[in-house]
């Protein structure tokens, strides 16, 4: 951790230190709608109000702190702050089992994605308690992770041979199975890399891509959830959770579900078509001006190709890498919910 990070973390913790009950919280990307529309209002206003003024929150985000998304849960577990919110995919280097929380194309819409994640909740709880000494508060989605390309494509098969920024390890494995070169790259580095030709394509949500200007450096949009739904997990350090009284635990959990989890998942489902229209010249755009990317229609054959890869190669390899009984647990929960099962190693 560099000097700037130490300074910011100390300030974050110091701000909350004087309250009757206090939380230091690190949220997800500061510039994206999830944080601006849900996280910030919840932590700074809704939760303190729900707690009757008995809790105070000091909020920042990992990018404002100057740390990587993959460091959030690890630093939380070390006591640098109390609560962390970031994409589970960012933390897979700490636990291969986490990859199973967001598998590409097992869900075709946000409702199915939420059902799959709910089914995986016992797995998630075990991973966070064991690996990060943390209690899961809840989840929220980024939008479906679709494909932006600064290269002419007509379908999924055209990604073969292209360099594609993956949104997570499972997505990277799928891309490699399709014959692409999967590239690991921080979200904020993507526009420049697309512009310079370092990569040809990249995976993110339609709304995130719109807000971050990916339409300026991309020409074609393939609205296939190749990167899954990239769920963000909110977790609190276990000793901090255990120090709360039962009423405060209930207030935190219930308020999070009502103010972030339920509305963010509902918005993800409602907004996907509108956000794609914003990028591809639709008549109306709730985000601002419409853009002129070329829409490449996803086909049933594209989805079938990916699901075959998942069943025959990707999920069995993940099961072996995760070890233990994670593969069978996935089949019994997520697989039973989605209808996608495999032979676990």
């Amino acid at each position: 951790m560099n000097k700037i990070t130490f300074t910011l973390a100390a300030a974050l913790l110091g701000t909350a230190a004087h309250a009757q009950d206090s939380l230091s919280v690190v949220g997800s990307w500061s510039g994206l709608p999830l944080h601006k529309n849900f996280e910030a209002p919840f932590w700074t206003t809704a939760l303190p109000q729900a707690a009757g003024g008995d809790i105070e929150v000091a909020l920042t985000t990992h990018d404002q702190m100057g740390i990587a998304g993959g460091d959030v849960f690890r630093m939380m577990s070390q006591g640098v702050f109390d609560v962390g919110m970031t994409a589970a995919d960012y933390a897979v280097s700490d636990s291969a089992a986490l990859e199973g929380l967001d598998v590409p194309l097992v869900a075709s819409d946000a409702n199915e994605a939420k059902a799959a994640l709910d089914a995986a909740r016992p797995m998630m709880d075990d991973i966070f308690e064991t690996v990060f000494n943390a209690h899961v508060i809840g989840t929220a989605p980024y939008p479906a992770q679709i494909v932006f390309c600064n290269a002419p494509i007509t379908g999924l098969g055209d990604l073969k041979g292209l360099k594609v920024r993956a949104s997570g390890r499972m997505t990277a494995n799928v891309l490699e199975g399709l014959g692409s070169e999967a590239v690991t790259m921080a979200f904020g580095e993507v526009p420049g890399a697309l512009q310079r030709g370092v990569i040809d394509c990249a995976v993110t949500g339609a709304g995130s891509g719109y807000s971050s200007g990916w339409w300026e450096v991309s020409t074609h949009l393939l609205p296939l959830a190749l990167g899954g739904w990239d769920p963000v997990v909110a977790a609190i350090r276990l000793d901090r959770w255990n120090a709360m009284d039962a009423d405060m635990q209930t207030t935190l959990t219930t308020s999070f579900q009502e103010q972030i989890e339920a509305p963010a998942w509902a918005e993800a489902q409602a907004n996907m078509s509108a956000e794609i229209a914003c990028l591809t010249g639709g008549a109306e755009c709730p985000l601002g001006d419409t853009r002129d990317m070329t829409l490449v229609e996803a086909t049933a054959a594209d989805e079938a190709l990916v699901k075959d890869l998942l069943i025959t190669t990707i999920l069995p390899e993940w099961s072996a890498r995760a070890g233990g009984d994670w593969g069978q647990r996935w089949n019994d929960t997520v697989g039973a919910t989605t209808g996608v099962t495999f032979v676990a190693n």
Side-chain angles (χ1 to χ4, degrees):
M1 203 187 315
N2 60 33
K3 183 177 180 181
I4 293 175
T5 301
F6 270 123
T7 302
L8 287 170
L12 177 68
L13 293 168
T15 300
H18 67 277
Q20 179 178 350
D21 202 353
S22 59
L23 288 175
S24 51
V25 179
V26 173
S28 61
W29 287 99
S30 62
L32 296 185
L34 177 62
H35 180 76
K36 293 190 288 187
N37 298 343
F38 296 104
E39 291 177 14
F42 172 75
W43 292 112
T44 60
T45 303
L47 179 61
Q49 288 178 349
D54 289 339
I55 194 166
E56 183 173 285
V57 177
L59 175 67
T60 187
T61 63
H62 70 82
D63 55 307
Q64 290 171 333
M65 286 185 73
I67 64 174
D71 292 332
V72 170
F73 295 133
R74 192 179 310 120
M75 291 176 65
M76 177 195 66
S77 72
Q78 295 166 352
V80 179
F81 42 84
D82 299 319
V83 177
M85 288 189 68
T86 196
D89 273 347
Y90 290 171
V92 295
S93 62
D94 292 303
S95 170
L98 276 175
E99 298 172 38
L101 300 183
D102 185 38
V103 176
L105 290 183
V106 297
S108 60
D109 60 32
N111 293 330
E112 292 181 2
K114 178 64 163 60
L117 196 61
D118 287 345
R121 182 62 185 264
M123 296 169 58
M124 187 192 313
D125 289 343
D126 286 351
I127 294 166
F128 273 81
E129 182 170 346
T130 302
V131 178
F132 301 111
N133 190 38
H135 170 82
V136 175
I137 302 168
T139 65
Y142 282 133
Q145 303 295 292
I146 61 178
V147 185
F148 291 70
C149 284
N150 196 15
I153 61 170
T154 59
L156 191 63
D158 289 339
L159 298 183
K160 184 177 182 179
L162 299 185
K163 294 172 288 186
V164 185
R165 181 260 185 182
S167 58
R169 182 165 181 173
M170 190 78 75
T171 304
N173 291 343
V174 171
L175 286 167
E176 289 169 356
L178 294 170
S180 304
E181 180 183 343
V183 178
T184 300
M185 180 178 294
F187 180 84
E189 298 173 3
V190 171
L194 283 167
Q195 188 173 38
R196 297 191 307 272
V198 175
I199 56 175
D200 303 296
C201 306
V203 176
T204 196
S208 301
Y210 181 94
S211 300
S212 302
W214 286 25
W215 47 269
E216 295 182 284
V217 290
S218 302
T219 57
H220 289 65
L221 186 73
L222 176 61
L224 190 68
L226 199 61
W229 290 80
D230 218 10
V232 167
V233 178
I236 180 171
R237 206 171 63 251
L238 197 57
D239 57 351
R240 185 66 188 82
W241 170 256
N242 290 335
M244 287 182 169
D245 63 43
D247 288 343
M248 189 62 73
Q249 289 177 343
T250 299
T251 297
L252 174 57
T253 302
T254 302
S255 298
F256 186 95
Q257 197 281 327
E258 293 174 348
Q259 300 292 325
I260 294 184
E261 186 160 341
W265 278 101
E267 184 174 281
Q269 177 63 24
N271 286 358
M272 184 173 177
S273 295
E275 290 167 350
I276 291 171
C278 288
L279 290 161
T280 58
E284 295 183 7
C285 174
L287 304 179
D289 295 334
T290 57
R291 308 304 176 185
D292 60 355
M293 293 185 69
T294 299
L295 179 63
V296 180
E297 296 289 354
T299 66
D302 288 337
E303 293 189 12
L305 175 60
V306 173
K307 287 187 177 180
D308 182 66
L309 268 175
L310 290 175
I311 292 168
T312 60
T313 305
I314 307 301
L315 284 168
E317 288 180 351
W318 163 72
S319 175
R321 191 166 59 253
D325 63 348
W326 289 112
Q328 190 57 53
R329 290 183 67 179
W330 193 95
N331 275 336
D332 293 341
T333 55
V334 182
T337 299
T338 62
V340 177
T341 58
F342 65 100
V343 178
N345 292 325

